Amino acid sequence: MSLGPRRHASSTVFSILAVSILAIGCATGEPVEPSGAAGDNGNAGNGGAMGAAGVTGAAGTGTTGSGGNNATAGTSGAAGSSPAGDAGTGGGATGAAGAAAGRGGTTGAAGATAGRGGTTGAAGATAGRGGTTGTAGAAAGRGGTTGAGGARGGTTGTGGARGGTTGSAGNTGSGGAPSSNLCTWPTANGSQSVSATINVSGTYDGGMKRFTGAGALGSSGQNEGQPPMFQISNGGTLQNVILGNPAADGVHCSGSCTLKNVWWEDVGEDAATLQGSSSSQVMTIDTGGAKAASDKIFQHNGPGTMIIKNFCAQDFGKLYRSCGNCSTQYTRHVEMDNIMAMPKLGPLAGINANYNDTAKFTRILIRASSGTICDRYTGNSTGAEPPKIGTGADGTNCIYSSSDITFMP
């Protein structure tokens, strides 16, 4: 665009300079203005006057120039006073170049907002809303809460642990079919004659010798009250022993005890008896066998639990009997697992339902086409013969299912 037609207006430039000088004078000398600093901003307006080159920007208007001046004054905050505005009004064209400078600096635009005075405060409020964005940062905190949800996922992992425990219970429940080689009898490694009861405290290892009763222990009859060949103290263990014939009343336990790899070649009165007086005592018979028991193999007189496992029973009247007529009666429990029973055979267990006895059976192999597993009696403490009141599984006293019992003729 040509600038020629406007260069003769030197008087106009002079007027602009004069007005600017007067504005400077007012800004510095007028007592009614609250801030001398605003006068300095007027000087900045003079800088705007240097935008005379902006005369070329015909697109600039007085109004735009006012905005530009406001932008310049806005750099000092409260400079949006009328003097600065006057300077802008004085030279619209020149101010247009200043407005371009304002557009060149985005900050200048923000300065314009400051030039509006109270509007600047509003912009501060916008900064406050920026603080609200900080609240959105708190939403990131809620993302952290999602992490907590991950922790709940960890709790699910613990549930998986419980599933593993269930698996262990499964092993206890079965462990496969009963063994078919439990009745392989051992060969004795020498012999020892026993004429007085051997008291066992701690562990007694017989080295697989055959122990045979003599003297007071030389009876193989069913007389009640015979002394035992072995008396085991509470907590004791008898292992690797063969009891020959005669064997008197076999083995007595005074409390908790373990019989490991013990064999009875010819049961006398009883093979073993649990005595004691603690309801928490446990007698464990693990691996072994007994045969030729005209009545019972194992007798349970005291309270507590008898565990019989990995055991061979041959030609017996009963494998286990909870005392039906002892002078002192208790609740008693028996658990049988991995048992092989061969004819002649009687019931595996006889228990007293009225004293809340229980008998549990797993992995039982009967070498016959049929047989009795569990008989229920009404026990007494008078010495009278207890009557039988039922037989078979009932889920309360006699506990087993058809899958726990295998008949194999």
Side-chain angles (χ1 to χ4, degrees):
M1 168 183 302
S2 174
L3 300 179
R6 293 196 177 199
R7 295 187 58 88
H8 66 277
S10 59
S11 60
T12 302
V13 174
F14 177 79
S15 298
I16 291 172
L17 291 175
V19 171
S20 298
I21 292 171
L22 289 175
I24 292 171
C26 291
T28 56
E30 186 64 40
V32 296
E33 293 295 330
S35 173
D40 291 335
N41 291 333
N43 288 332
N46 288 333
M50 292 176 66
V55 173
T56 60
T61 63
T63 302
T64 301
S66 176
N69 288 335
N70 286 338
T72 301
T75 58
S76 62
S81 63
S82 59
D86 292 339
T89 303
T94 301
R103 286 192 299 271
T106 303
T107 303
T113 302
R116 292 187 183 88
T119 305
T120 301
T126 301
R129 287 191 295 272
T132 304
T133 303
T135 303
R142 289 194 293 273
T145 304
T146 302
R152 289 194 292 273
T155 304
T156 303
T158 303
R162 288 194 293 272
T165 302
T166 302
S168 298
N171 292 335
T172 301
S174 177
S179 300
S180 59
N181 61 350
L182 294 172
C183 292
T184 302
W185 287 77
T187 300
N189 185 24
S191 300
Q192 180 174 332
S193 179
V194 181
S195 59
T197 298
I198 299 173
N199 293 302
V200 176
S201 178
T203 298
Y204 183 96
D205 192 323
M208 293 311 294
K209 288 190 296 186
R210 179 183 287 112
F211 293 81
T212 304
L217 300 177
S219 171
S220 60
Q222 294 297 308
N223 297 328
E224 296 288 342
Q226 294 182 64
M229 292 182 67
F230 293 92
Q231 179 75 52
I232 307 176
S233 299
N234 183 43
T237 297
L238 178 68
Q239 64 186 27
N240 301 323
V241 167
I242 300 173
L243 281 77
N245 180 30
D249 201 27
V251 179
H252 288 181
C253 282
S254 299
S256 292
C257 70
T258 299
L259 277 60
K260 178 72 172 178
N261 198 31
V262 177
W263 301 79
W264 291 261
E265 293 180 330
D266 192 328
V267 175
E269 181 184 353
D270 298 312
T273 302
L274 176 56
Q275 299 172 324
S277 59
S278 172
S279 61
S280 63
Q281 67 187 12
V282 178
M283 179 179 185
T284 302
I285 301 101
D286 183 3
T287 308
K291 58 184 177 181
S294 58
D295 189 9
K296 305 174 297 296
I297 295 179
F298 296 115
Q299 176 75 23
H300 196 165
N301 290 343
T305 302
M306 186 180 293
I307 297 174
I308 309 166
K309 59 184 179 179
N310 310 316
F311 195 82
C312 170
Q314 291 184 235
D315 302 327
F316 57 92
K318 288 183 179 67
L319 176 52
Y320 166 92
R321 180 67 170 101
S322 172
C323 184
N325 54 12
C326 286
S327 59
T328 302
Q329 291 286 32
Y330 305 96
T331 296
R332 306 179 180 97
H333 308 285
V334 62
E335 298 177 10
M336 298 188 194
D337 177 60
N338 199 26
I339 304 296
M340 183 174 183
M342 300 177 65
K344 133 180 166 317
L345 61 87
L348 296 188
I351 60 174
N352 304 313
N354 59 315
Y355 295 128
N356 299 316
D357 291 352
T358 62
K360 298 179 181 180
F361 306 86
T362 54
R363 296 193 297 166
I364 306 298
L365 175 60
I366 306 295
R367 295 304 303 268
S369 57
S370 64
T372 301
I373 305 302
C374 184
D375 286 340
R376 296 183 295 279
Y377 293 84
T378 298
N380 63 76
S381 57
T382 64
E385 188 65 24
K388 185 170 73 172
I389 59 173
T391 189
D394 64 352
T396 301
N397 303 109
C398 296
I399 304 170
Y400 60 94
S401 64
S402 59
S403 62
D404 293 313
I405 314 298
T406 300
F407 291 96
M408 182 183 295

